[in-house]
Amino acid sequence: MMGHLLPSLLFLGALGAALVESYCVEKGKNLALEGKASQISVYHVNGNALNAIDGNRDGVYRMKSCILTRSEISPWWRVDLHEPRRIGAVVVTNRKDCCWNRLIGAQVLIGNATRNQNPVCGTITEAEPGLVTRLCCPGMVGRYVSIVIPDREEILNLCEVEIYPEGEEKPCE
C-alpha cells in the first residue's frame, strides 16, 4: 500500500502545481505614459528615453519608437512615476528590426531608490523580434520602474514599457 501512496502523492502534487496559475494585472491606465523617462546614455538622438513611454509598440528604431543606449556596463532605462504606486504588471516590447537578443537577461526593478538597487520584479528570458514580455509584479510598490542589464557590457534597446497598477486579478497572458 505504501508503495502506491508515494507515487499518488507525487502525482497529486504535480497536478496541483499545474493548476496554480500566475496572476497579474494588465488592466487600467498605463502609468508609464504620465512618467518621466531617463537612461544611462543615448547612442543617437533617435533613441532617447521618451520613446519607450510614447504608447507606440511599433518596434522599429528608425521610426523613433525605441530607446538605444551606448555600450555600457549594466545599462539602464528608468521611468519616474512621480510618487510610489502599487504595480500589478510591467509590459516590455522588444525591438523588431534588429538586435532583439540584447534584451535577454534584462531585469525589471521596482522601488523608491533612484539607483538601480530596487527589488526585482522579473527577468526577461526570451527574445524575438517585437516580442511583448509581460511580467507580473503584484504587491510591489515604487516610484521608479527600471530596466537594467546587470553586470554585462551591452547596448540596451527596447521599444515600449507599459506599467499597470495593481487591481483586479487576471491571468498573465
Side-chain angles (χ1 to χ4, degrees):
M1 179 104 169
M2 284 298 280
H4 296 290
L5 183 59
L6 184 57
S8 296
L9 288 174
L10 289 173
F11 172 76
L12 288 174
L15 180 63
L19 294 176
V20 173
E21 293 186 29
S22 172
Y23 286 91
C24 75
V25 177
E26 190 182 320
K27 191 172 185 173
K29 182 168 54 170
N30 176 3
L31 302 173
L33 296 174
E34 298 173 357
K36 181 179 179 184
S38 59
Q39 63 195 52
I40 190 170
S41 62
V42 179
Y43 183 80
H44 184 271
V45 70
N46 286 349
N48 73 64
L50 294 175
N51 294 348
I53 58 169
D54 63 1
N56 179 358
R57 283 188 179 180
D58 179 49
V60 178
Y61 176 75
R62 74 177 186 279
M63 302 303 290
K64 300 180 183 178
S65 65
C66 305
I67 70 108
L68 186 65
T69 70
R70 291 187 178 106
S71 183
E72 307 267 1
I73 295 175
S74 301
W76 57 266
W77 173 92
R78 176 180 342 161
V79 64
D80 178 351
L81 300 174
H82 308 294
E83 64 184 2
R85 305 296 298 261
R86 294 190 69 78
I87 308 297
V90 176
V91 179
V92 180
T93 302
N94 202 347
R95 189 171 167 179
K96 71 178 179 183
D97 59 344
C98 166
C99 318
W100 49 87
N101 59 328
R102 292 176 177 157
L103 206 49
I104 291 176
Q107 295 179 335
V108 175
L109 311 176
I110 299 173
N112 293 317
T114 55
R115 301 200 189 277
N116 295 318
Q117 300 169 328
N118 288 316
V120 177
C121 162
T123 301
I124 296 173
T125 58
E126 296 180 47
E128 296 175 18
L131 182 68
V132 176
T133 301
R134 292 166 175 85
L135 298 169
C136 299
C137 311
M140 295 192 79
V141 177
R143 174 177 173 170
Y144 302 98
V145 176
S146 304
I147 298 177
V148 180
I149 300 175
D151 307 319
R152 186 171 94 211
E153 184 167 344
E154 187 63 85
I155 293 171
L156 176 61
N157 59 204
L158 54 90
C159 294
E160 192 67 21
V161 178
E162 300 164 46
I163 302 165
Y164 294 95
E166 188 170 58
E168 208 174 300
E169 292 183 346
K170 77 174 199 173
C172 273
E173 297 173 16

